[in-house]
Amino acid sequence: MPNLKDELHSLGWSAGCACVGNVTPKRNKLILPGLISSRIYVVDVGSQCRAPRLCKMIEPVEVFWKCNKGYLAVVHSLPNGDILISNMGDPAGNGKGGFIVLDGETFELKGNWENTCEVPPTGYDFWYQPRHNVLVSSAGAVLKYAGRGFNPNDMKKGIYGRRLNFWNLSCRTLTQCFDLGEDSLPLNVRFLHNPDAAEGYVSCALSGVTYRFCKCERGCWEVEEVIRIPSINVRDWIMPRMPAFTADIIISMDDRFLYLSNWWHGDIRQYELSRSCKPRLVGQVFVGGLLTRCGPVTVCRDEEMKCQPEPLVVKCKRVYGGPCKMQLSLDGKRLYVTNSFYSTWDKQFYPCMVREGSVMLQIDVDTEKGGLTVNKNFLVDFGKEPCGPCLAHNIRFSCGDSTSDIPA
């Protein structure tokens, strides 16, 4: 990219990724918003997939003046072909939820998406379900403060969001909100892939809790806790108890398995989604994290681990950092994971990863009985990039993946 310090946190495909009927999505351009800069890049990856070309750039000042928004986060295309981008704040860095819209053909900035002046105090991820006329968005954080690094004292100051928001998709209005608690930080939202299912999950980064939301008989939405990863008593850390920091959530295309990445503890968890609505843990693998043996943090007491996990080495490279963003192949057999969350937080918790560069790993999935195994023959080392070391975050497949297409 021609600019530094954009913090390209997420990326999404251009118009056509919201599937309507049997129409094949046209994945030829990637939309890359800058989380820090609020700049938007449109990259042509269809003409020459091995030689991507920057074809449009929207400067931050246009986003600021036209939308009064900033700190752009997650990208999805809408059923009408336009592109929806969530934001985390206003131009000054104060918390402000909501969305901006790009034209799906010209990629011109059209303005704000919501039809009302009422917007959530913070924003981050979102997912929508056209057949139920609903869009669900999560909270995120106020990057003006959280962007400097994690401070436990900020948890009681309203810097970390706590709301799960439900929107009327066609009217673009906020209809329901759920307060998930001051220590929650709901980040990632996923609906089941079945377009008729009025059900999904949201993972809360700071509490280690995953909630299931579903539509009740009255037509409104309900939320219930279904997974809680316990905190761990530790020494030599910024808090006496280390919560599970669930940085990402993935649901397989057949809606059978749910995956959680635990950036601080270092494990990836596989849950089976049964009809009882209570996910069952069937697979777990450690791929780094703060709890590795001989590391800076000592585990005093843990409800689940008998001993601290060994450091991970793949193809002679020591893997630092913890599992963060994931992407699952369409057949559900290959789970890819990167280990950078946010550059400032990376420097705070994983300075060795910042110095050595991040990686992408492949986790082999047992789709019959459940189970996860690190593939020791696969490693993408971003420490060896020509302008590196680099910090890798979001992953997209041109052939389709578990977080791009939203069936309409």
Side-chain angles (χ1 to χ4, degrees), residues 320-371:
Y320 296 98
C324 188
K325 296 299 288 186
M326 301 178 291
Q327 193 55 264
L328 184 65
S329 60
L330 294 178
D331 63 6
K333 295 182 178 180
R334 295 173 307 284
L335 182 69
Y336 296 91
V337 59
T338 55
N339 53 358
S340 167
F341 175 70
Y342 180 80
S343 58
T344 307
W345 288 40
D346 291 346
K347 294 172 185 176
Q348 179 180 2
F349 294 108
Y350 296 112
C352 289
M353 180 186 67
V354 176
R355 185 174 61 250
E356 300 290 333
S358 69
V359 299
M360 181 168 70
L361 304 172
Q362 177 181 319
I363 310 300
D364 295 331
V365 180
D366 184 340
T367 57
E368 297 298 326
K369 300 179 181 179

Side-chain angles (χ1 to χ4, degrees), residues 25 40 54 108 137 149 159 195 218 234 249 265 276 316 321 355 373:
I40 305 172
L54 180 62
E108 297 292 329
S137 66
I159 291 172
R218 302 188 305 274
V234 294
I249 182 173
H265 292 182
S276 66
C316 300
R355 185 174 61 250
T373 307

